């Protein structure tokens, strides 16, 4: 679990602002659900036999109620969708969330126990248009934050009993390898055979390479859906790779499944930037009406590792350097007017010497220092000093706001820290 300090948080804010803008452009509206949910919600949705439910959840009992820190975002959003009857309010809901998720995984670069995801869910649209639109949005979003090298892996897990029939075929195939398989895969053969396809163990490589493809198990309608999604991606010019071994670690997926892998930057082996898929049965399984759904989760830490290390421009700011108590009082009023005009203003209230105040102003990266001493107070004006150019002018108090905003080149920056 990480602390995110000033200095690095600016890149987070840039990423989050971009995500918010892009999803809003696609008609998604934000939903915020609790971080803690009843444990059975995740057991029923993510599924028993998955790593998340079996090994990674932060679960505890509070006053006899089993609770869990959310390991992912979809289950809570689906619960809220059902609980508030959102399906009665609109035929299609497009929801966006962002926040901390918790998984007790072995920490590594790009893999943490508290990490942040941003995700979207669409309810009430069985696709395939929404599938392609969602994947295209993600590729565009990553491009906007400078992550260009992205591979979209695409698969279909079918509907109905496809996963079940495929699991049996996979079990038969894998059991032929007997003791050659890794211990994890031997166990998964009986608990969750699809997860063997995620194994990185060299012992499992041959069994995985020769495994049957789930695409051969799809019904005609599933195939139709999958082909349609692909045709739309081709029409959009969004490249993808069909990967029949892509299964991902959550049980609720049906039909379209996708994952975005990055490369370069600081990204290491944990190169999955995000992924998602359809879950056409999840809403009804969690007690709602039969409603198709599709969603994704993006890992923000991973995207930040993949993002270029461009210097983020900080908001231009002003440093008020008063000398003496009266000047400090006057500066408080001036600071208020500057802030009301949208100027980021630092006020030195410690009664320091001019030299150390100017040093502090440079340390903060301020563009201008406003110096007020007794002489200035008498004349009701201030010295405005450009810290980069070491030029200074005298400006009457009444004109300070307009002169400063003109010098900074813009009146105000929204969302300035
Ligand atoms: P998932 O919810 O498993 O589909 O994960 C979606 C995305 O969340 C992944 O592609 C990663 O980018 C990110 N992610 C998942 N687990 C972690 C973790 N433990 N630490 C950091 N990022 C994670």
């Amino acid at each position: 679990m990480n602390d995110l300090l000033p200095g690095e948080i600016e890149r987070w804010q840039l990423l989050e602002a971009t995500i918010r803008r892009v999803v809003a452009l696609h008609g998604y509206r934000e939903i915020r659900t609790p971080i803690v949910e009843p444990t059975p919600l995740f057991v029923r949705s993510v599924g028993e036999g998955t790593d998340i439910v079996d090994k990674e959840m932060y679960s505890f009992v509070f006053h006899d109620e089993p609770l869990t820190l959310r390991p992912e975002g979809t289950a809570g959003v689906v619960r809220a969708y059902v609980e508030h009857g959102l399906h009665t309010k609109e035929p299609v809901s497009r929801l966006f969330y962002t926040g901390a998720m918790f998984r007790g995984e072995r920490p590594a670069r790009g893999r943490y126990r508290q990490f942040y995801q941003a995700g979207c869910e669409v309810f009430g649209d069985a696709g395939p248009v929404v599938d392609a639109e969602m994947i295209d949005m993600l590729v565009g979003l990553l491009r906007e934050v400078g992550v260009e090298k992205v591979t979209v892996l695409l698969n279909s897990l079918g509907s109905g009993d496809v996963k079940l029939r495929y699991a049996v075929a996979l079990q038969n195939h894998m059991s032929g390898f007997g003791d050659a398989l890794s211990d994890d895969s031997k166990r998964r053969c009986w608990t969750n055979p699809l997860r063997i396809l995620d194994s990185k163990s060299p012992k499992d490589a041959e069994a995985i390479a020769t495994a049957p493809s789930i695409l051969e198990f799809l019904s005609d309608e599933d195939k139709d859906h999958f082909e349609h999604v692909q045709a739309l991606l081709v029409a959009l010019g969004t490249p993808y790779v069909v990967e029949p071994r892509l299964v991902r670690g959550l049980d609720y997926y049906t039909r379209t499944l996708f994952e975005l892998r990055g490369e370069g930057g600081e990204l290491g082996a944990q190169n999955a930037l995000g992924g998602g898929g359809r879950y056409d049965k999840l809403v009804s399984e969690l007690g709602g009406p039969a409603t198709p759904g599709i969603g994704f989760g993006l890992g923000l830490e991973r995207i930040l590792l993949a993002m270029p290390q461009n210097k983020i421009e900080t908001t231009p700011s002003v440093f008020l350097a008063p000398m003496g108590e009266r000047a400090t009082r006057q500066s408080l009023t001036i600071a208020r007017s500057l802030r009301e005009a949208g100027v980021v203003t630092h006020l030195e209230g410690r009664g320091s010497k001019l030299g150390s105040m100017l040093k502090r102003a440079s340390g903060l990266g301020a563009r201008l220092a406003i110096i007020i001493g007794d002489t200035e107070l008498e004349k009701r004006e201030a010295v405005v000093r450009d810290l980069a150019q070491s030029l200074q002018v005298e400006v009457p108090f009444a004109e300070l706001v307009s002169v400063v905003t003109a010098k900074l080149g813009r009146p105000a920056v929204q969302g300035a820290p």
Side-chain angles (χ1 to χ4, degrees):
M1 299 189 186
N2 296 313
D3 296 313
L4 303 170
L5 303 182
E8 60 183 322
I9 205 73
E10 289 74 13
R11 298 178 79 236
W12 280 80
Q13 290 169 332
L14 175 75
L15 173 60
E16 287 164 354
T18 308
I19 293 174
R20 282 183 182 281
R21 193 171 57 75
V22 171
V23 301
L25 286 171
H26 287 77
Y28 291 92
R29 296 194 304 163
E30 185 172 0
I31 180 167
R32 295 190 193 185
T33 64
I35 286 173
V36 183
E37 295 275 0
T39 302
L41 175 68
F42 301 113
V43 177
R44 283 163 63 198
S45 55
V46 175
E48 255 163 320
T50 59
D51 283 355
I52 293 180
V53 167
D54 288 0
K55 300 193 267 193
E56 297 170 358
M57 295 206 300
Y58 284 88
S59 299
F60 56 98
V61 175
F62 185 75
H63 291 273
D64 293 334
E65 192 186 1
L67 297 172
T68 292
L69 303 187
R70 63 182 178 198
E72 57 96 57
T74 302
V77 174
V78 173
R79 180 202 47 70
Y81 177 83
V82 173
E83 201 170 307
H84 299 281
L86 293 189
H87 62 279
T88 61
K89 299 181 178 133
E90 51 187 4
V92 175
S93 296
R94 289 182 163 229
L95 302 173
F96 156 76
Y97 64 85
T98 183
M101 308 292 159
F102 302 83
R103 295 182 195 171
E105 296 192 78
R106 201 158 42 81
R109 188 214 299 259
R111 191 168 61 210
Y112 312 103
R113 293 186 164 174
Q114 174 175 327
F115 59 98
Y116 290 83
Q117 283 189 344
C120 287
E121 316 289 350
V122 180
F123 297 100
D125 186 335
V129 175
V130 68
D131 306 26
E133 189 194 24
M134 187 175 267
I135 293 167
D136 182 60
M137 172 176 88
L138 288 172
V139 173
L141 193 163
L142 290 171
R143 194 181 305 129
E144 278 211 31
V145 292
V147 180
E148 308 262 356
K149 286 189 205 152
V150 174
T151 307
V152 177
L153 301 181
L154 191 65
N155 195 16
S156 174
L157 298 183
S159 56
D161 63 356
V162 169
K163 264 204 277 189
L164 212 62
R165 286 191 291 116
Y166 180 61
V168 173
L170 210 52
Q171 214 164 35
N172 286 335
H173 171 80
M174 293 295 170
S175 53
F177 287 80
D179 265 355
L181 294 178
S182 68
D183 287 344
D184 262 353
S185 294
K186 271 185 247 167
R187 188 173 43 79
R188 284 183 176 140
C189 216
W190 305 109
T191 54
N192 197 343
L194 266 66
R195 294 284 290 143
I196 299 178
L197 300 179
D198 279 341
S199 165
K200 303 272 182 297
S201 166
K203 288 183 168 177
D204 301 324
E206 193 195 337
I208 292 172
T210 54
S213 159
I214 194 165
L215 299 177
E216 285 154 28
F217 292 75
L218 299 186
S219 69
D220 287 345
E221 290 81 18
D222 293 336
K223 275 188 201 153
D224 210 46
H225 184 100
F226 194 41
E227 278 160 19
H228 208 138
V229 173
Q230 293 181 63
L232 292 169
L233 287 174
V234 170
L236 281 163
T238 301
Y240 63 91
V241 178
V242 173
E243 174 47 90
R245 288 180 186 83
L246 179 71
V247 286
R248 299 176 43 75
L250 301 98
D251 260 5
Y252 49 62
Y253 288 123
T254 52
R255 290 200 165 161
T256 312
L257 190 70
F258 54 90
E259 186 159 290
L260 286 88
R261 302 237 171 111
E263 58 180 285
E266 301 281 306
L267 260 189
Q270 310 301 324
N271 64 352
L273 302 177
R278 277 207 160 269
Y279 45 81
D280 290 340
K281 290 279 170 292
L282 187 58
V283 176
S284 58
E285 278 167 14
L286 293 181
T291 309
I294 180 168
F296 67 82
L298 285 175
L300 301 193
E301 286 85 353
R302 304 251 179 108
I303 298 175
L304 285 156
L305 287 171
M307 267 165 67
Q309 293 285 341
N310 292 345
K311 203 168 160 359
I312 307 242
E313 254 189 70
T314 49
T315 313
S317 66
V318 167
F319 187 95
L320 270 168
M323 287 178 291
E325 218 171 285
R326 273 178 60 223
T328 303
R329 238 177 294 145
Q330 179 70 53
S331 295
L332 267 173
T333 314
I334 294 172
R336 184 167 62 192
S337 324
L338 286 167
R339 288 166 183 152
E340 279 168 1
V343 176
V344 178
T345 306
H346 310 281
L347 168 62
E348 178 59 87
R350 292 179 300 175
S352 311
K353 294 223 161 57
L354 182 61
S356 67
M357 286 198 283
L358 292 180
K359 218 187 251 172
R360 174 83 185 123
S362 304
L364 285 166
R367 187 83 59 82
L368 302 173
I370 299 178
I371 304 160
I372 305 172
D374 286 340
T375 329
E376 287 76 25
L377 271 180
E378 287 310 312
K379 294 200 270 179
R380 302 214 44 83
E381 60 183 35
V383 173
V384 176
R385 185 180 172 101
D386 185 314
L387 289 164
Q389 298 172 7
S390 295
L391 289 174
Q392 58 185 50
V393 285
E394 282 158 14
V395 179
F397 288 160
E399 289 165 32
L400 261 180
V401 170
S402 57
V403 170
V404 165
T405 50
K407 278 187 181 293
L408 294 181
R410 47 184 164 166
V413 174
Q414 278 181 354

